[in-house]
Amino acid sequence: MKGRYELIVPCHFGLEAVLKKEITDLGYDIVQVEDGRVTFLGDEEAVCRANVFLRTGERVLLKAGSFRAETFEELFQGTRGIPWEELIPRDGRFWVAKASSIRSKLFSPSDIQKIMKKAMVERMKAACGCEVLPETGHRYPLRVFLHKDQVTVGIDTSGDSLHRRGYRTLTSKAPITETLAAALILLTPWRKERILVDPFCGSGTFPIEAAMMAANIAPGMNRSFLAENWTNLIPRKCWYEAVDEARDLIDNKGETDIQGYDIDGDIVKAARANAEAAGVGHMIHFQQRPVSALSHPKKYGFIITNPPYGERIEDKENLPALYRELGERFQALDSWSAYLITAYEEAEKYMGRKADKNRKIYNGMMKTYFYQFQGPKPPARKRAQGQTS
């Protein structure tokens, strides 16, 4: 069935505008922007390109339908009314992988999952003319959102979340996800000709995502997706064409000044390995170095980082000194900008100045702040020439 679909892309709360711009830049029309997700129109090709190219979305869902349900009977009937036989083959394996409910009368995820599965089975059995569905074929997991009694049903085309680029095999204690790191970089004015330093680089996510942007490497080009097997909906050639397009756009020969430091030598080794796996090892300089040694001879650079914020009580007492040190090193960097995401609410106090902007972002269920300390823009001539000295 060739058609025009509504595609739903969930994202971190607070970063919907970044994702919207990404989708628009891919050439697609936005249908709706809601808390934590963006919906757009696209065809089979769009499913593939969104999975391969989007840096800030969590997954790509093919919208199966939406309806209102205040009772379980309405949920059953609404689910049964969706033409599942047009979306899932006779032997397809289907289930509600996740159900979330906000301000709705139906709120039990397990009950929602069971009732919707039962309704789907009834519809599929009637459409296929069989008593028992084999469910031996490819997987078609559903994700369901209930908001103010409105039910939205999507089939997950991605499988593993899109933050799993495939390069990060080794991680630090509190890694930031690739999708969140990419979104935060896109919220800054950083460009590939500018300096970027992460003094708390951990497994290297900020430097690696920045380098991938600089080299124009599509984040999903080296991984697989669940919908690659959905030949009833998406011809395999659409996937090949999306990856071919991504390969043609790579430009990793330009010079960059991207650096990552960490006090833990083993973590620095892991970051280097991750960068090599991402194809950007030659573009990043990783070094074992404490934040007290943060320095750079050039102007107009960027600090973009995810410093510790004391998840454990015993770590909290170290935070004032750590943020004070970061603030002192930042102030010593002439004309630089600093961007940090942290749950530590006294970050500004110990950084020594109030942030020019402060954006609240939910990292999972944790409320964090994206503090933005903006430096001056480089002179127009230097911007045009891509110089930073």
Side-chain angles (χ1 to χ4, degrees):
M1 166 183 158
K2 183 173 175 61
R4 193 156 171 77
Y5 303 114
E6 284 189 39
L7 300 172
I8 305 165
V9 186
C11 65
H12 284 274
F13 283 92
L15 296 173
E16 297 83 3
V18 183
L19 175 59
K20 178 185 175 184
K21 184 178 187 305
E22 270 205 287
I23 293 168
T24 303
D25 288 348
L26 277 180
Y28 301 114
D29 294 327
I30 303 296
V31 172
Q32 191 175 22
V33 179
E34 304 165 88
D35 286 346
R37 64 183 187 266
V38 178
T39 303
F40 70 99
L41 290 174
D43 55 10
E44 296 92 332
E45 183 185 77
V47 174
C48 306
R49 294 183 73 235
N51 273 298
V52 170
F53 285 99
L54 290 180
R55 298 185 190 278
T56 64
E58 294 302 309
R59 57 186 68 247
V60 180
L61 308 176
L62 190 156
K63 184 176 176 181
S66 61
F67 53 88
R68 188 168 182 81
E70 296 183 16
T71 66
F72 285 122
E73 177 62 22
E74 288 174 343
L75 179 68
F76 183 91
Q77 296 300 340
T79 303
R80 193 168 64 174
I82 294 171
W84 295 108
E85 66 278 5
E86 295 178 9
L87 300 168
I88 300 173
R90 183 178 181 276
D91 66 345
R93 281 185 283 161
F94 56 89
W95 72 100
V96 179
K98 185 174 181 182
S100 62
S101 177
I102 299 172
R103 287 187 280 177
S104 297
K105 293 182 176 64
L106 303 178
F107 56 83
S108 166
S110 60
D111 288 334
I112 291 165
Q113 289 167 308
K114 279 187 267 189
I115 286 165
M116 292 187 72
K117 169 72 176 186
K118 186 178 178 184
M120 292 175 71
V121 168
E122 276 206 12
R123 171 85 188 211
M124 288 288 286
K125 285 199 301 188
C128 298
C130 61
E131 284 300 313
V132 179
L133 294 171
E135 293 202 55
T136 54
H138 296 299
R139 295 173 293 151
Y140 293 76
L142 271 65
R143 291 194 168 234
V144 180
F145 310 95
L146 279 77
H147 183 244
K148 294 182 179 177
D149 302 316
Q150 187 69 22
V151 183
T152 303
V153 188
I155 312 178
D156 181 10
T157 72
S158 302
D160 286 339
S161 169
L162 295 183
H163 82 266
R164 296 184 181 275
R165 318 287 206 215
Y167 67 75
R168 193 168 70 174
T169 55
L170 301 162
T171 64
S172 55
K173 286 180 189 173
I176 188 168
T177 66
E178 294 84 338
T179 46
L180 179 55
L184 296 177
I185 294 168
L186 290 171
L187 278 174
T188 78
W190 179 80
R191 297 294 177 266
K192 63 182 179 181
E193 64 275 4
R194 307 281 293 275
I195 304 157
L196 187 153
V197 176
D198 180 356
F200 302 97
C201 73
S203 51
T205 310
F206 272 126
I208 292 169
E209 289 295 317
M212 289 176 71
M213 290 178 195
N216 211 17
I217 296 174
M221 64 177 293
N222 293 315
R223 56 159 284 179
S224 59
F225 303 97
L226 200 56
E228 288 178 41
N229 295 313
W230 296 1
T231 50
N232 62 309
L233 294 177
I234 304 167
R236 282 197 181 275
K237 74 180 182 80
C238 291
W239 294 103
Y240 299 141
E241 287 168 358
V243 173
D244 286 345
E245 179 188 357
R247 280 204 193 97
D248 290 343
L249 291 171
I250 294 174
D251 179 11
N252 59 6
K253 294 186 173 58
E255 287 191 15
T256 55
D257 190 344
I258 300 172
Q259 302 181 28
Y261 309 141
D262 201 279
I263 199 167
D264 186 327
D266 290 336
I267 289 295
V268 171
K269 285 180 189 172
R272 285 197 190 105
N274 290 339
E276 289 294 335
V280 293
H282 63 293
M283 299 174 69
I284 307 169
H285 174 66
F286 287 109
Q287 187 177 350
Q288 182 179 0
R289 184 192 286 197
V291 68
S292 58
L294 173 60
S295 65
H296 200 288
K298 295 183 179 180
K299 291 185 170 187
Y300 307 111
F302 287 75
I303 296 168
I304 305 179
T305 192
N306 174 37
Y309 30 89
E311 295 91 334
R312 296 179 304 179
I313 293 171
E314 59 266 33
D315 294 335
K316 288 190 184 297
E317 61 191 35
N318 301 322
L319 294 183
L322 185 141
Y323 281 81
R324 189 181 291 115
E325 205 159 43
L326 176 59
E328 288 169 357
R329 299 318 306 149
F330 170 48
Q331 287 169 32
L333 289 163
D334 183 24
S335 68
W336 277 50
S337 301
Y339 296 81
L340 48 142
I341 181 169
T342 177
Y344 186 46
E345 298 193 357
E346 295 192 84
E348 289 171 300
K349 174 183 174 182
Y350 293 108
M351 283 288 289
R353 61 177 271 197
K354 187 168 177 58
D356 298 289
K357 289 184 181 178
N358 179 10
R359 194 182 188 110
K360 191 188 299 180
I361 294 166
Y362 281 88
N363 184 4
M365 296 304 291
M366 181 183 289
K367 182 171 68 174
T368 62
Y369 302 91
F370 190 46
Y371 293 105
Q372 302 167 58
F373 302 92
Q374 297 168 340
K377 292 180 181 178
R381 185 175 142 274
K382 287 187 179 178
R383 288 204 302 273
Q385 294 177 353
Q387 295 176 351
T388 52
S389 56

